[in-house]
Amino acid sequence: KLLSDFSSLDEAASILDFGLSTKTSLITWHAQSQQSRDEMAVDVGNIWHERGWIEHKRGLHQSATDLYTKGLDELRQLGASDSIAGCKLLRARARALVRDEPDEFFSDYCPPATDLEKALRELQAALEILEGHGLQDTEEGAKTYNNLGLVHSLRSDFAVSAKMFEAAGRIRKKTGTLKMPMNARRLYNFGSMRLKQGRIAREELQEKAVSAKDVSQTATEDSQFFTQAAELLQKAVDILEKYEFKDDLVALCEKKLA
């Protein structure tokens, strides 16, 4: 079951904990059956992934990281580190390291540079797994590019960040999901990155003694970043409201649009 099928995180956690407690039997059953290594990896990986994601949503990021690591260790023992399940666990662990906000100005937590570098390596490894399976242009690829964009935003690598968000957008255009709720987080991340980019450009302008001509030019660039940020954030709100999603993301977008 997906987490959305449960009425609460606690209910989902109890079911997944039961799954973890019986996981050894599951692996033994798979070993005695005709199931493939990748099919076994999906079952094992999904349990660890969903259980870790519950901790992430609860704000228990270290606990989530520990669960993802245990899952990756088990996949390694199964010889399935390069499976799609491995890709998902790497991506989730990277997300737990950096959390959910692309602009640290709006967060009480700023990931240290070492965690940003580690997250970047893990996301690149996840993308390599997808490429090895020829699945980089699927929803898994879109999610990975989106998270890469988030990390690069936190690193203030704005050009690279934009390329990552745009790559995720191209995939979702191809799969017909640009206007689906799953794309709202990408729009929020992309808009937040542009907002951060505009704010930093404006701060740099104020710190430098430049000519009136340079001021005018930079102010125009700032305005373009802020305009694009507003457009992206509003698109995210429109999608979520269309599907009547009661999501904290709406409030976050509206806060930045204010």
Side-chain angles (χ1 to χ4, degrees):
K1 266 191 166 185
L2 297 174
L3 290 185
S4 58
D5 293 331
F6 295 100
S7 60
S8 70
L9 291 179
D10 288 341
E11 181 186 357
S14 66
I15 297 296
L16 290 167
D17 284 341
F18 175 77
L20 289 173
S21 70
T22 60
K23 182 166 46 58
T24 300
S25 297
L26 172 67
I27 293 173
T28 301
W29 177 83
H30 269 299
Q32 295 172 349
S33 72
Q34 299 300 313
Q35 298 294 316
S36 71
R37 180 210 67 163
D38 282 352
E39 288 173 322
M40 185 184 347
V42 167
D43 290 334
V44 172
N46 279 347
I47 293 174
W48 285 111
H49 180 275
E50 296 304 294
R51 189 62 184 86
W53 187 240
I54 288 174
E55 297 301 277
H56 186 110
K57 290 172 74 69
R58 287 171 166 168
L60 302 174
H61 300 99
Q62 185 56 56
S63 177
T65 299
D66 293 343
L67 289 166
Y68 297 139
T69 299
K70 289 178 181 178
L72 287 164
D73 288 343
E74 288 199 358
L75 290 183
R76 193 174 301 112
Q77 292 170 14
L78 294 169
S81 296
D82 61 345
S83 64
I84 301 305
C87 163
K88 292 174 66 174
L89 286 169
L90 282 170
R91 186 176 67 232
R93 188 166 69 176
R95 178 73 170 270
L97 281 171
V98 301
R99 307 190 186 180
D100 304 320
E101 177 53 56
D103 183 356
E104 59 272 28
F105 181 79
F106 290 90
S107 174
D108 58 1
Y109 177 74
C110 180
T114 52
D115 282 355
L116 292 176
E117 292 299 325
K118 184 176 180 180
L120 188 58
R121 290 194 300 271
E122 299 214 327
L123 289 168
Q124 289 171 335
L127 189 59
E128 288 173 5
I129 290 174
L130 290 174
E131 291 171 346
H133 289 271
L135 297 174
Q136 65 271 25
D137 292 333
T138 63
E139 177 58 22
E140 293 298 327
K143 290 178 179 177
T144 305
Y145 281 119
N146 180 46
N147 284 355
L148 278 164
L150 188 155
V151 174
H152 281 293
S153 177
L154 287 167
R155 285 162 48 93
S156 298
D157 294 336
F158 300 121
V160 179
S161 179
K163 289 180 180 178
M164 297 298 102
F165 290 134
E166 289 164 355
R170 284 194 296 272
I171 293 171
R172 289 191 171 145
K173 181 177 181 180
K174 184 185 299 185
T175 58
T177 55
L178 271 179
K179 297 182 179 180
M180 299 295 288
M182 66 175 66
N183 196 46
R185 175 62 67 171
R186 180 190 73 90
L187 292 167
Y188 171 80
N189 288 345
F190 199 173
S192 298
M193 183 275 285
R194 287 302 193 204
L195 190 62
K196 176 181 177 180
Q197 186 176 18
R199 187 181 67 253
I200 288 178
R202 180 165 294 178
E203 290 171 354
E204 290 175 348
L205 171 64
Q206 293 172 348
E207 291 173 359
K208 295 177 180 178
V210 294
S211 67
K213 180 179 178 180
D214 288 336
V215 171
S216 175
Q217 180 179 352
T218 307
T220 300
E221 292 173 356
D222 292 348
S223 178
Q224 291 174 349
F225 294 141
F226 291 134
T227 298
Q228 187 177 8
E231 291 172 351
L232 291 163
L233 293 168
Q234 188 59 54
K235 285 180 181 179
V237 171
D238 292 344
I239 289 172
L240 293 171
E241 289 184 343
K242 177 181 177 181
Y243 286 90
E244 299 182 350
F245 264 63
K246 299 185 183 300
D247 197 306
D248 292 342
L249 196 58
V250 174
L252 289 171
C253 289
E254 290 176 343
K255 178 180 180 181
K256 293 183 179 184
L257 284 166

